[in-house]
Amino acid sequence: MNKTYEQLLPYMEKSYALNTALTLLSWDEETLAPREGMEFTSKAIGTLSNELFSTLMNPELKKLLKKLSEEKEQSSLSECEKAVVKNLKKSFDELEPIPQKDYRLYSELIAKASSIWASAKAKSCFEEFAPTLKESVEYNKKFAKLRAKDGQEPYDVLLNTYEEGFTMEKLDEFFGKIKSAVVPLLQKVKAKNDCIDKSYNFRHYEIDRQREFCRYLAGYEGFDFNRGVMAESEHPFTTNLHNHDVRITSHFYENNLESGIFSVIHEAGHAMYEMNVSDELTLTPAGGGSSMGMHESQSRFFENIIGRSADFWLPIYGRLQETFPEQLSDVPLSRFIQGINKAEPSLIRTEADELTYPLHIIIRYEIERMLFHDEITVDELPRVWNQKYKDYLGVEPSNDAEGVLQDVHWSGGSFGYFPSYAIGSAIAAQIYAYMKKVMPFDDYLREGNLTPIREFLRLHIHQYGSSKNTTKLLQGMMNEDLNADYYVDYLTEKYTRLYGLEN
Amino acid sequence: MNKTYEQLLPYMEKSYALNTALTLLSWDEETLAPREGMEFTSKAIGTLSNELFSTLMNPELKKLLKKLSEEKEQSSLSECEKAVVKNLKKSFDELEPIPQKDYRLYSELIAKASSIWASAKAKSCFEEFAPTLKESVEYNKKFAKLRAKDGQEPYDVLLNTYEEGFTMEKLDEFFGKIKSAVVPLLQKVKAKNDCIDKSYNFRHYEIDRQREFCRYLAGYEGFDFNRGVMAESEHPFTTNLHNHDVRITSHFYENNLESGIFSVIHEAGHAMYEMNVSDELTLTPAGGGSSMGMHESQSRFFENIIGRSADFWLPIYGRLQETFPEQLSDVPLSRFIQGINKAEPSLIRTEADELTYPLHIIIRYEIERMLFHDEITVDELPRVWNQKYKDYLGVEPSNDAEGVLQDVHWSGGSFGYFPSYAIGSAIAAQIYAYMKKVMPFDDYLREGNLTPIREFLRLHIHQYGSSKNTTKLLQGMMNEDLNADYYVDYLTEKYTRLYGLEN
């Protein structure tokens, strides 16, 4: 092993251990921790975050990373080691401009924010969350300005954190293309919606049975319970300590069958990405998924492209019917498939169909952008949110819980994250187009054999962790760059077919 | 604040944060973590333990503690600060003789041991656990020898860790007294056992309903769910991050009603101790319960003295019957009380009645003592265990799961802990004798009003955390030292009455 690289190991080990502790503390807060505990526990989180900061900002580490980035040293590193150096340097560069004291206070704030958000959401009261959100936005503005390079806009700094190379300029083009396809398509679809009756979805579905079916479903999809855990939280999410300990949450509603099912398929998609990272990478700074866009491509590939297809449900719909005989025996598979794909403007992003989904993302993108350009204040968020929903989707939230408070992201300080979902959907469509060419994709689904599909994704994407970025992964797989046309074509083709529209 | 003391704060803060992380990792392993995850997670645990070791072994901290132990500095410290210095110094002294590398390796071993034990227990296969246990015993022998002062025996070092000042000499006397009272009493009781039919306890009790009733029961006892969490694990236990985040586990069996109920009452007793520690102490090294004996006194006070009394069940037995109408409608309260107190030799410590319980402890004490005096090897444990059960209780385990593998303690490296249960029972009986004199104890129970009882314990014991030891707490409460006679009298009186024996 390269001698300089060897000197990195203790830093990596320590930052991995501290990250593990912080990840578990955060998982615990979302899933289990008692309501009144966080005030004190956040102090420990502040101390551990501070310790992580000190570990990464060690001047010795800075020297090592600089040296290892030079060509001479690079030539003696393995591919995996190069990726580790690159990612560690990225973390270093992101953290270096931030004052240590601010980082600690911000970490403590975020540790407490999620339970404040959850409580505010339960009461549907934005005002209760606003002070925390204001603080978080101020920290993020400050950090983004400090991290900005060469006159970079602060919001571009945030976007780049989740998807390397993405800027408002690129996203404007990307979203413009999608909007110009989706809006007219949605008009045609809405005109035909009366013939789809999905009232079955809002019957009463016992939570226990949903839980049981969704455990089966996650396993069917490929989630390995020997290396993973399923729990429940206000907002579904995936996290992991390493590739042998991957955790997903779901949230079940008594009067909405789809919500639980598709959040489980979605999160299990994320989970398989992490489970399939190679052992060589897992405990290193290159051990997680590549970008958030790439991560969302995997979750949304399973949720939508696979999970909303008739082929996927063919072998298992009977089991769902058996789980809920009273609710579903009069709903044949064909009607269920129409129901889970019915495109209609709605209030909740996580429950949106594939066609209206990107509009939910565009709304959040535009709002965050205004917020970070000081064009609106935190207090104005509910009003702006509701107005945008009216403008883009023609629906209006009747309260904050189904409006501006619906998503967990802002409570976690994840500003600039939302576009990852749309980028992910686009990548998923592009991968799907390619996979259909190289394997009997639909046959596999109909046979209930997801192994070759998973194995393909493991081989071309998952195993590499974050040692390759989105561009490299797509190039490696199909010799192409990200191209949003596939997504537009996919949506157009799918909805034209489903709704029997004229081409 | 004393200037020297102020310099302690960063060390306390860091060791508190690392302890919080390690506590949560351990809780997670016992309750939730996926089976195959621990191999990698234990590396993070090793690193964090190593970091804790470095924090506590800092030469600067040593100097500060030495200075603060001097009379001049002590005079300017508050009572709380004095306790903090004393406890931190105790941790320092316990750790100092141990080589850092060994400490880390041992921490990693213990992190993995619990799942190895659980798996071995599930298969009832001691051989599968033996190699891990051997390693752990070797480490503990080595550490005890390194920590021994003035020719102290290694096993005395371990005993002293859990109960200050306790030695084999003291315990021999203590157990001798108990044995000479219990053994003849048990003979008389056994002769009359035919008239107590507790077959109802082994009917089929749905786990879900047990869980629901036990949640109610914990709340009835005083467990505050806003500051606590209840989960399930192979072996019930209590842990806490601080006084606002206290966690208990239970384990329910379909064919044994008592097991779940009394483990919940027991663990909730531990939990209330931790919940009632004062805010001033909670995040400090004096923030936990006093000794393990004192801790077990609280759990066993609730489990036995309160929890097995007719007065306790009078207001709530109806609810238990409503929860299990098919199983309990033909069991009147009087028969239930006889059943939960029936004294008969059995295999499982946690399910033992009050009378045979100390014999289970004596067996473990004698075995550990032989093990640490090199009189037996790890491989001989199953044979010795089974022989002792035959000798003392007249019963013999048919497999390791109901024998030597039944307890979690050894997998956690807790050698020398078991006597705490008997010490705890003795303290509980002594406290009970005093409380009956100063308050209408039985009336409170019959009225379903546990508040004055809890409040008395909070005021005289809980609030002080570990700022006072057992002797000081008992002296402060009743102006007496620990006296095992109360325990002997309590058992004699209780069983004489229950079984209608001649005095």
Side-chain angles (χ1 to χ4, degrees):
Chain A
M1 190 185 275
N2 176 307
K3 289 284 170 203
T4 317
Y5 186 84
E6 215 173 324
Q7 294 173 61
L8 277 189
L9 300 183
Y11 296 99
M12 276 163 56
E13 203 172 66
K14 195 167 160 190
S15 66
Y16 166 70
L18 290 165
N19 268 320
T20 298
L22 289 164
T23 302
L24 188 63
L25 278 155
S26 164
W27 157 269
D28 183 72
E29 189 203 352
E30 304 285 348
T31 54
L32 189 71
R35 204 161 57 82
E36 292 179 15
M38 225 44 208
E39 187 66 31
F40 285 169
T41 306
S42 67
K43 295 188 186 181
I45 292 174
T47 307
L48 294 168
S49 303
N50 189 51
E51 203 50 34
L52 180 61
F53 191 98
S54 302
T55 306
L56 289 172
M57 288 302 106
N58 189 305
E60 186 58 32
L61 178 62
K62 184 175 182 169
K63 272 187 235 162
L64 291 171
L65 286 171
K66 191 160 175 265
K67 196 170 169 197
L68 283 164
S69 303
E70 287 163 11
E71 207 172 321
K72 202 186 116 218
E73 298 274 352
Q74 283 272 312
S75 64
S76 71
L77 296 178
S78 72
E79 284 309 305
C80 166
E81 288 165 351
K82 277 183 204 164
V84 166
V85 170
K86 192 180 165 218
N87 286 18
L88 199 52
K89 184 136 191 347
K90 185 170 182 254
S91 301
F92 182 88
D93 292 342
E94 280 176 14
L95 220 50
E96 197 186 18
I98 297 174
Q100 179 154 9
K101 203 185 155 197
D102 282 344
Y103 184 78
R104 184 196 189 122
L105 291 172
Y106 176 67
S107 303
E108 289 186 27
L109 176 73
I110 292 302
K112 285 183 281 189
S114 153
S115 54
I116 297 170
W117 163 75
S119 156
K121 186 178 171 185
K123 296 181 203 151
S124 198
C125 175
F126 180 75
E127 287 69 31
E128 205 179 275
F129 180 50
T132 308
L133 184 57
K134 272 179 211 171
E135 271 195 81
S136 175
V137 168
E138 285 315 309
Y139 275 119
N140 274 286
K141 278 184 187 170
K142 182 174 176 184
F143 296 168
K145 278 175 196 158
L146 288 167
R147 284 171 47 200
K149 282 176 195 157
D150 315 321
Q152 212 182 0
E153 289 279 354
Y155 192 53
D156 277 342
V157 174
L158 298 176
L159 291 173
N160 189 63
T161 312
Y162 298 105
E163 190 63 53
E164 201 182 326
F166 264 73
T167 57
M168 289 180 276
E169 199 188 335
K170 275 200 178 184
L171 278 177
D172 284 343
E173 192 199 329
F174 175 75
F175 283 132
K177 192 181 263 188
I178 293 166
K179 215 162 29 173
S180 65
V182 162
V183 172
L185 190 55
L186 184 58
Q187 291 310 321
K188 288 192 226 168
V189 157
K190 272 165 71 180
K192 288 204 148 193
N193 250 346
D194 286 349
C195 53
I196 300 180
D197 172 13
K198 70 179 281 187
S199 56
Y200 69 86
N201 187 55
F202 309 104
R203 290 173 183 165
H204 182 268
Y205 293 88
E206 295 83 353
I207 301 277
D208 278 355
R209 288 200 225 162
Q210 287 194 55
R211 201 177 277 133
E212 195 194 321
F213 179 78
C214 283
R215 258 187 95 82
Y216 159 77
L217 190 60
Y220 181 81
E221 192 180 339
F223 187 88
D224 179 353
F225 284 94
N226 289 324
R227 299 166 62 171
V229 158
M230 230 174 118
E232 282 162 56
S233 62
E234 175 58 34
H235 200 296
F237 69 98
T238 302
T239 192
N240 67 314
L241 304 187
H242 44 69
N243 66 351
H244 281 62
D245 187 332
V246 183
R247 300 168 181 222
I248 63 177
T249 69
S250 51
H251 192 111
F252 300 110
Y253 297 90
E254 269 180 353
N255 295 305
N256 189 336
L257 176 63
E258 272 180 25
S259 181
I261 284 182
F262 287 96
S263 72
V264 166
I265 304 183
H266 178 97
E267 301 306 333
H270 282 302
M272 273 176 297
Y273 195 163
E274 295 294 340
M275 283 177 172
N276 282 334
V277 168
S278 79
D279 278 359
E280 192 189 10
L281 286 169
T282 193
L283 302 183
T284 77
S290 183
S291 66
M292 283 327 298
M294 190 48 86
H295 232 306
E296 293 299 340
S297 83
Q298 298 308 290
S299 53
R300 293 187 60 78
F301 182 82
F302 278 98
E303 177 191 352
N304 295 323
I305 290 175
I306 291 185
R308 295 188 198 268
S309 73
D311 293 335
F312 173 77
W313 283 99
L314 191 68
I316 59 171
Y317 184 63
R319 180 153 180 158
L320 182 61
Q321 282 181 310
E322 279 163 32
T323 308
F324 296 109
E326 286 170 36
Q327 298 89 334
L328 292 178
S329 59
D330 64 337
V331 182
L333 176 59
S334 58
R335 191 168 145 218
F336 179 72
I337 298 300
Q338 280 189 314
I340 60 177
N341 286 290
K342 184 174 185 177
E344 51 186 347
S346 65
L347 293 166
I348 308 294
R349 176 186 62 82
T350 55
E351 286 160 24
D353 58 88
E354 280 182 90
L355 197 54
T356 55
Y357 189 88
L359 301 177
H360 291 263
I361 299 304
I362 291 170
I363 290 172
R364 285 155 178 77
Y365 166 65
E366 291 181 356
I367 290 176
E368 287 188 343
R369 191 176 166 151
M370 288 194 287
L371 194 60
F372 279 83
H373 283 186
D374 297 319
E375 292 164 14
I376 54 168
T377 65
V378 165
D379 290 329
E380 289 171 297
L381 283 173
R383 186 184 55 73
V384 176
W385 183 283
N386 294 354
Q387 187 60 48
K388 291 250 177 217
Y389 264 81
K390 213 169 157 184
D391 295 346
Y392 281 84
L393 287 155
V395 293
E396 210 172 350
S398 63
N399 61 55
D400 295 336
E402 59 182 35
V404 68
L405 284 178
Q406 69 181 262
D407 291 309
V408 71
H409 303 65
W410 291 346
S411 78
S414 301
F415 301 98
Y417 186 108
F418 285 116
S420 308
Y421 291 107
I423 298 166
S425 298
I427 297 172
Q430 188 167 356
I431 291 173
Y432 176 53
Y434 181 72
M435 285 178 82
K436 277 203 299 187
K437 280 191 252 170
V438 298
M439 63 169 68
F441 194 92
D442 302 341
D443 291 344
Y444 288 145
L445 289 184
R446 279 191 296 269
E447 291 159 11
N449 177 15
L450 274 67
T451 310
I453 295 172
R454 275 199 311 271
E455 189 53 18
F456 181 91
L457 296 170
R458 188 190 68 73
L459 205 65
H460 289 92
I461 301 173
H462 302 172
Q463 64 162 328
Y464 295 113
S466 48
S467 69
K468 300 188 177 195
N469 65 17
T470 303
T471 307
K472 275 196 187 158
L473 289 168
L474 290 180
Q475 280 288 348
M477 183 194 291
M478 61 180 90
N479 213 10
E480 275 187 42
D481 282 344
L482 173 61
N483 179 349
D485 291 340
Y486 287 104
Y487 184 34
V488 168
D489 290 349
Y490 164 78
L491 288 176
T492 309
E493 192 279 323
K494 174 166 183 172
Y495 279 92
T496 302
R497 183 170 41 77
L498 263 166
Y499 277 80
L501 305 173
E502 295 299 313
N503 261 326
Chain B
M1 191 184 276
N2 176 306
K3 289 283 169 202
T4 317
Y5 186 84
E6 215 173 323
Q7 294 173 61
L8 275 189
L9 300 184
Y11 296 98
M12 276 164 56
E13 203 172 65
K14 195 168 159 190
S15 67
Y16 167 70
L18 290 164
N19 268 321
T20 297
L22 289 163
T23 303
L24 188 63
L25 279 155
S26 164
W27 157 269
D28 184 72
E29 188 203 350
E30 304 284 347
T31 54
L32 189 71
R35 204 160 58 82
E36 293 180 14
M38 225 44 209
E39 187 64 33
F40 286 169
T41 306
S42 66
K43 295 188 187 183
I45 292 173
T47 307
L48 294 168
S49 303
N50 189 50
E51 202 50 35
L52 180 61
F53 190 98
S54 302
T55 306
L56 289 172
M57 288 302 105
N58 190 303
E60 185 59 33
L61 178 63
K62 183 174 181 170
K63 269 187 237 162
L64 291 172
L65 286 171
K66 188 157 177 269
K67 197 169 168 199
L68 283 163
S69 303
E70 287 162 12
E71 207 171 322
K72 202 184 113 217
E73 298 274 352
Q74 284 272 312
S75 64
S76 71
L77 296 179
S78 72
E79 283 310 303
C80 166
E81 289 165 351
K82 276 183 204 164
V84 166
V85 169
K86 192 182 165 215
N87 286 17
L88 198 52
K89 183 132 193 345
K90 185 170 183 256
S91 301
F92 182 89
D93 292 343
E94 280 176 15
L95 220 49
E96 197 186 19
I98 297 174
Q100 180 154 8
K101 203 185 154 198
D102 282 345
Y103 185 77
R104 184 195 190 123
L105 291 172
Y106 176 67
S107 302
E108 289 186 28
L109 177 73
I110 291 302
K112 286 184 281 192
S114 154
S115 54
I116 297 170
W117 163 75
S119 155
K121 185 178 172 184
K123 295 180 204 152
S124 198
C125 174
F126 180 75
E127 287 69 30
E128 205 178 274
F129 180 50
T132 308
L133 185 56
K134 271 178 211 169
E135 272 195 81
S136 175
V137 168
E138 285 316 308
Y139 275 119
N140 275 285
K141 277 184 188 170
K142 184 174 175 183
F143 296 169
K145 277 174 196 157
L146 288 166
R147 284 170 47 200
K149 282 176 196 158
D150 315 321
Q152 212 182 1
E153 289 280 353
Y155 191 54
D156 277 342
V157 174
L158 298 177
L159 292 172
N160 189 64
T161 312
Y162 299 105
E163 190 63 53
E164 203 182 325
F166 264 73
T167 57
M168 290 180 276
E169 197 187 336
K170 275 198 179 187
L171 278 176
D172 284 344
E173 191 199 329
F174 176 74
F175 285 132
K177 192 181 264 187
I178 293 166
K179 216 164 28 174
S180 66
V182 163
V183 172
L185 190 55
L186 184 59
Q187 292 311 324
K188 289 191 224 169
V189 157
K190 272 164 71 179
K192 289 205 149 192
N193 251 345
D194 286 348
C195 53
I196 299 180
D197 171 13
K198 71 180 281 185
S199 57
Y200 69 85
N201 187 54
F202 310 103
R203 291 172 183 168
H204 182 267
Y205 294 88
E206 295 84 353
I207 300 277
D208 278 355
R209 288 199 225 163
Q210 286 194 54
R211 202 177 277 131
E212 195 194 321
F213 179 78
C214 282
R215 257 187 96 80
Y216 160 77
L217 191 59
Y220 181 82
E221 193 180 338
F223 186 87
D224 179 353
F225 284 93
N226 288 323
R227 298 167 62 171
V229 158
M230 229 174 118
E232 282 161 56
S233 63
E234 176 57 34
H235 200 295
F237 68 98
T238 302
T239 191
N240 66 315
L241 304 187
H242 44 69
N243 65 350
H244 280 62
D245 187 332
V246 182
R247 300 168 180 224
I248 63 177
T249 69
S250 51
H251 192 111
F252 300 110
Y253 298 90
E254 270 179 354
N255 295 304
N256 190 335
L257 175 63
E258 273 181 24
S259 180
I261 284 181
F262 287 96
S263 72
V264 166
I265 304 183
H266 178 97
E267 301 305 334
H270 281 303
M272 273 176 295
Y273 194 162
E274 295 294 341
M275 282 176 172
N276 282 335
V277 169
S278 80
D279 278 359
E280 191 190 12
L281 286 169
T282 193
L283 302 183
T284 76
S290 182
S291 65
M292 283 327 298
M294 191 47 87
H295 233 306
E296 292 300 340
S297 83
Q298 298 307 290
S299 53
R300 293 187 61 77
F301 181 82
F302 278 97
E303 176 191 353
N304 294 323
I305 291 176
I306 291 185
R308 294 189 198 268
S309 72
D311 293 334
F312 174 78
W313 283 100
L314 191 67
I316 59 172
Y317 184 64
R319 181 156 180 155
L320 182 62
Q321 282 181 310
E322 279 163 32
T323 308
F324 295 109
E326 285 170 36
Q327 298 89 333
L328 292 178
S329 60
D330 64 336
V331 181
L333 176 60
S334 58
R335 192 169 145 218
F336 179 73
I337 298 299
Q338 279 188 315
I340 60 178
N341 285 292
K342 184 174 184 177
E344 51 187 346
S346 65
L347 292 166
I348 308 295
R349 175 185 62 83
T350 55
E351 286 160 24
D353 57 87
E354 280 181 272
L355 196 53
T356 56
Y357 190 88
L359 301 177
H360 291 263
I361 299 304
I362 291 170
I363 290 172
R364 286 155 177 78
Y365 165 66
E366 291 181 356
I367 290 177
E368 287 189 343
R369 191 177 164 151
M370 288 194 288
L371 193 60
F372 279 82
H373 284 186
D374 298 318
E375 292 164 15
I376 54 168
T377 65
V378 165
D379 291 328
E380 290 171 296
L381 283 173
R383 187 183 53 74
V384 176
W385 183 283
N386 294 353
Q387 187 60 47
K388 291 251 177 215
Y389 264 80
K390 214 169 156 184
D391 295 347
Y392 282 84
L393 287 154
V395 294
E396 209 173 353
S398 62
N399 61 54
D400 295 337
E402 58 182 35
V404 68
L405 284 177
Q406 68 180 265
D407 291 309
V408 71
H409 304 65
W410 291 347
S411 78
S414 301
F415 301 98
Y417 186 108
F418 285 117
S420 308
Y421 292 107
I423 298 166
S425 299
I427 297 173
Q430 188 166 355
I431 292 173
Y432 176 54
Y434 182 72
M435 285 177 82
K436 278 203 298 185
K437 280 190 251 170
V438 298
M439 63 169 68
F441 194 92
D442 303 340
D443 292 343
Y444 287 145
L445 290 184
R446 280 192 294 270
E447 290 159 12
N449 177 17
L450 273 67
T451 309
I453 294 172
R454 276 199 309 274
E455 190 53 19
F456 181 91
L457 295 171
R458 187 190 70 73
L459 204 66
H460 289 93
I461 301 173
H462 302 171
Q463 63 162 331
Y464 296 114
S466 48
S467 69
K468 300 188 178 194
N469 66 15
T470 303
T471 306
K472 274 196 188 159
L473 288 168
L474 290 180
Q475 281 288 349
M477 183 195 289
M478 63 180 88
N479 213 11
E480 273 188 42
D481 282 342
L482 172 61
N483 180 349
D485 291 340
Y486 287 104
Y487 184 34
V488 168
D489 290 348
Y490 164 78
L491 289 175
T492 309
E493 191 279 326
K494 175 167 182 173
Y495 280 93
T496 302
R497 185 171 38 79
L498 262 166
Y499 277 80
L501 304 175
E502 296 299 312
N503 262 326

